[in-house]
PDB file of all heavy atoms in Angstrom:
ATOM      1  N   ASN B 153     -58.620 -97.307  63.932  1.00  0.00           N
ATOM      2  CA  ASN B 153     -57.384 -98.038  63.635  1.00  0.00           C
ATOM      3  C   ASN B 153     -56.404 -97.175  62.831  1.00  0.00           C
ATOM      4  O   ASN B 153     -55.869 -97.587  61.796  1.00  0.00           O
ATOM      5  CB  ASN B 153     -57.704 -99.334  62.876  1.00  0.00           C
ATOM      6  CG  ASN B 153     -56.473-100.232  62.809  1.00  0.00           C
ATOM      7  OD1 ASN B 153     -55.615-100.190  63.691  1.00  0.00           O
ATOM      8  ND2 ASN B 153     -56.375-101.030  61.743  1.00  0.00           N
ATOM      9  N   ILE B 154     -56.210 -95.945  63.310  1.00  0.00           N
ATOM     10  CA  ILE B 154     -55.314 -95.025  62.610  1.00  0.00           C
ATOM     11  C   ILE B 154     -53.862 -95.405  62.903  1.00  0.00           C
ATOM     12  O   ILE B 154     -53.507 -95.677  64.045  1.00  0.00           O
ATOM     13  CB  ILE B 154     -55.605 -93.567  63.036  1.00  0.00           C
ATOM     14  CG1 ILE B 154     -57.005 -93.193  62.565  1.00  0.00           C
ATOM     15  CG2 ILE B 154     -54.559 -92.612  62.488  1.00  0.00           C
ATOM     16  CD1 ILE B 154     -57.477 -91.856  63.045  1.00  0.00           C
ATOM     17  N   ARG B 155     -53.072 -95.430  61.849  1.00  0.00           N
ATOM     18  CA  ARG B 155     -51.673 -95.857  62.001  1.00  0.00           C
ATOM     19  C   ARG B 155     -50.732 -94.828  61.381  1.00  0.00           C
ATOM     20  O   ARG B 155     -51.176 -93.866  60.760  1.00  0.00           O
ATOM     21  CB  ARG B 155     -51.473 -97.218  61.338  1.00  0.00           C
ATOM     22  CG  ARG B 155     -52.252 -98.296  62.071  1.00  0.00           C
ATOM     23  CD  ARG B 155     -52.023 -99.673  61.527  1.00  0.00           C
ATOM     24  NE  ARG B 155     -52.302-100.639  62.594  1.00  0.00           N
ATOM     25  CZ  ARG B 155     -51.364-101.300  63.273  1.00  0.00           C
ATOM     26  NH1 ARG B 155     -50.084-101.131  62.982  1.00  0.00           N
ATOM     27  NH2 ARG B 155     -51.702-102.139  64.237  1.00  0.00           N
ATOM     28  N   CYS B 156     -49.454 -95.061  61.584  1.00  0.00           N
ATOM     29  CA  CYS B 156     -48.447 -94.153  61.033  1.00  0.00           C
ATOM     30  C   CYS B 156     -48.592 -94.073  59.521  1.00  0.00           C
ATOM     31  O   CYS B 156     -48.575 -95.103  58.837  1.00  0.00           O
ATOM     32  CB  CYS B 156     -47.046 -94.642  61.396  1.00  0.00           C
ATOM     33  SG  CYS B 156     -45.736 -93.692  60.601  1.00  0.00           S
ATOM     34  N   PRO B 157     -48.726 -92.870  58.961  1.00  0.00           N
ATOM     35  CA  PRO B 157     -48.911 -92.761  57.524  1.00  0.00           C
ATOM     36  C   PRO B 157     -47.633 -93.088  56.744  1.00  0.00           C
ATOM     37  O   PRO B 157     -47.689 -93.300  55.541  1.00  0.00           O
ATOM     38  CB  PRO B 157     -49.295 -91.283  57.333  1.00  0.00           C
ATOM     39  CG  PRO B 157     -48.730 -90.580  58.513  1.00  0.00           C
ATOM     40  CD  PRO B 157     -48.730 -91.566  59.638  1.00  0.00           C
ATOM     41  N   GLU B 158     -46.513 -93.152  57.446  1.00  0.00           N
ATOM     42  CA  GLU B 158     -45.240 -93.403  56.767  1.00  0.00           C
ATOM     43  C   GLU B 158     -44.926 -94.884  56.727  1.00  0.00           C
ATOM     44  O   GLU B 158     -44.499 -95.405  55.705  1.00  0.00           O
ATOM     45  CB  GLU B 158     -44.102 -92.649  57.474  1.00  0.00           C
ATOM     46  CG  GLU B 158     -44.290 -91.137  57.514  1.00  0.00           C
ATOM     47  CD  GLU B 158     -44.145 -90.486  56.146  1.00  0.00           C
ATOM     48  OE1 GLU B 158     -43.500 -91.064  55.272  1.00  0.00           O
ATOM     49  OE2 GLU B 158     -44.714 -89.375  55.957  1.00  0.00           O
ATOM     50  N   CYS B 159     -45.094 -95.582  57.874  1.00  0.00           N
ATOM     51  CA  CYS B 159     -44.643 -96.980  57.947  1.00  0.00           C
ATOM     52  C   CYS B 159     -45.725 -97.908  58.474  1.00  0.00           C
ATOM     53  O   CYS B 159     -45.460 -99.077  58.718  1.00  0.00           O
ATOM     54  CB  CYS B 159     -43.383 -97.089  58.811  1.00  0.00           C
ATOM     55  SG  CYS B 159     -43.737 -96.994  60.583  1.00  0.00           S
ATOM     56  N   LYS B 160     -46.941 -97.392  58.674  1.00  0.00           N
ATOM     57  CA  LYS B 160     -48.062 -98.209  59.161  1.00  0.00           C
ATOM     58  C   LYS B 160     -47.842 -98.728  60.578  1.00  0.00           C
ATOM     59  O   LYS B 160     -48.538 -99.633  61.040  1.00  0.00           O
ATOM     60  CB  LYS B 160     -48.359 -99.399  58.211  1.00  0.00           C
ATOM     61  CG  LYS B 160     -48.660 -99.000  56.775  1.00  0.00           C
ATOM     62  CD  LYS B 160     -49.994 -98.287  56.677  1.00  0.00           C
ATOM     63  CE  LYS B 160     -50.100 -97.504  55.369  1.00  0.00           C
ATOM     64  NZ  LYS B 160     -50.950 -96.315  55.516  1.00  0.00           N
ATOM     65  N   GLY B 161     -46.853 -98.189  61.272  1.00  0.00           N
ATOM     66  CA  GLY B 161     -46.598 -98.606  62.648  1.00  0.00           C
ATOM     67  C   GLY B 161     -47.725 -98.191  63.576  1.00  0.00           C
ATOM     68  O   GLY B 161     -48.530 -97.315  63.247  1.00  0.00           O
ATOM     69  N   GLU B 162     -47.771 -98.819  64.755  1.00  0.00           N
ATOM     70  CA  GLU B 162     -48.789 -98.473  65.733  1.00  0.00           C
ATOM     71  C   GLU B 162     -48.426 -97.126  66.364  1.00  0.00           C
ATOM     72  O   GLU B 162     -47.250 -96.793  66.504  1.00  0.00           O
ATOM     73  CB  GLU B 162     -48.845 -99.561  66.806  1.00  0.00           C
ATOM     74  CG  GLU B 162     -50.214 -99.675  67.444  1.00  0.00           C
ATOM     75  CD  GLU B 162     -50.287-100.923  68.325  1.00  0.00           C
ATOM     76  OE1 GLU B 162     -49.911-102.021  67.846  1.00  0.00           O
ATOM     77  OE2 GLU B 162     -50.688-100.767  69.485  1.00  0.00           O
ATOM     78  N   LEU B 163     -49.447 -96.385  66.766  1.00  0.00           N
ATOM     79  CA  LEU B 163     -49.193 -95.053  67.321  1.00  0.00           C
ATOM     80  C   LEU B 163     -49.197 -95.080  68.842  1.00  0.00           C
ATOM     81  O   LEU B 163     -49.931 -95.859  69.463  1.00  0.00           O
ATOM     82  CB  LEU B 163     -50.261 -94.063  66.826  1.00  0.00           C
ATOM     83  CG  LEU B 163     -50.302 -93.831  65.311  1.00  0.00           C
ATOM     84  CD1 LEU B 163     -51.496 -92.963  64.936  1.00  0.00           C
ATOM     85  CD2 LEU B 163     -49.008 -93.187  64.823  1.00  0.00           C
ATOM     86  N   SER B 164     -48.393 -94.221  69.423  1.00  0.00           N
ATOM     87  CA  SER B 164     -48.391 -94.038  70.875  1.00  0.00           C
ATOM     88  C   SER B 164     -49.693 -93.398  71.315  1.00  0.00           C
ATOM     89  O   SER B 164     -50.489 -92.944  70.499  1.00  0.00           O
ATOM     90  CB  SER B 164     -47.241 -93.105  71.258  1.00  0.00           C
ATOM     91  OG  SER B 164     -47.568 -91.780  70.832  1.00  0.00           O
ATOM     92  N   LYS B 165     -49.902 -93.335  72.633  1.00  0.00           N
ATOM     93  CA  LYS B 165     -51.000 -92.529  73.164  1.00  0.00           C
ATOM     94  C   LYS B 165     -50.720 -91.055  72.844  1.00  0.00           C
ATOM     95  O   LYS B 165     -49.565 -90.647  72.692  1.00  0.00           O
ATOM     96  CB  LYS B 165     -51.093 -92.700  74.689  1.00  0.00           C
ATOM     97  CG  LYS B 165     -51.562 -94.077  75.136  1.00  0.00           C
ATOM     98  CD  LYS B 165     -53.079 -94.158  75.164  1.00  0.00           C
ATOM     99  CE  LYS B 165     -53.513 -95.565  75.571  1.00  0.00           C
ATOM    100  NZ  LYS B 165     -54.833 -95.927  75.012  1.00  0.00           N
ATOM    101  N   VAL B 166     -51.780 -90.286  72.787  1.00  0.00           N
ATOM    102  CA  VAL B 166     -51.669 -88.852  72.528  1.00  0.00           C
ATOM    103  C   VAL B 166     -50.995 -88.152  73.707  1.00  0.00           C
ATOM    104  O   VAL B 166     -51.293 -88.465  74.860  1.00  0.00           O
ATOM    105  CB  VAL B 166     -53.092 -88.282  72.304  1.00  0.00           C
ATOM    106  CG1 VAL B 166     -53.106 -86.787  72.466  1.00  0.00           C
ATOM    107  CG2 VAL B 166     -53.615 -88.704  70.938  1.00  0.00           C
ATOM    108  N   SER B 167     -50.055 -87.257  73.425  1.00  0.00           N
ATOM    109  CA  SER B 167     -49.480 -86.458  74.521  1.00  0.00           C
ATOM    110  C   SER B 167     -49.442 -84.995  74.115  1.00  0.00           C
ATOM    111  O   SER B 167     -49.629 -84.654  72.947  1.00  0.00           O
ATOM    112  CB  SER B 167     -48.081 -86.963  74.863  1.00  0.00           C
ATOM    113  OG  SER B 167     -47.237 -86.747  73.761  1.00  0.00           O
TER     114      SER B 167
END
Side-chain angles (χ1 to χ4, degrees):
Chain B
N153 191 28
I154 295 174
R155 294 184 155 255
C156 173
E158 300 290 337
C159 77
K160 303 291 162 210
E162 208 170 310
L163 297 173
S164 71
K165 291 274 178 208
V166 162
S167 65

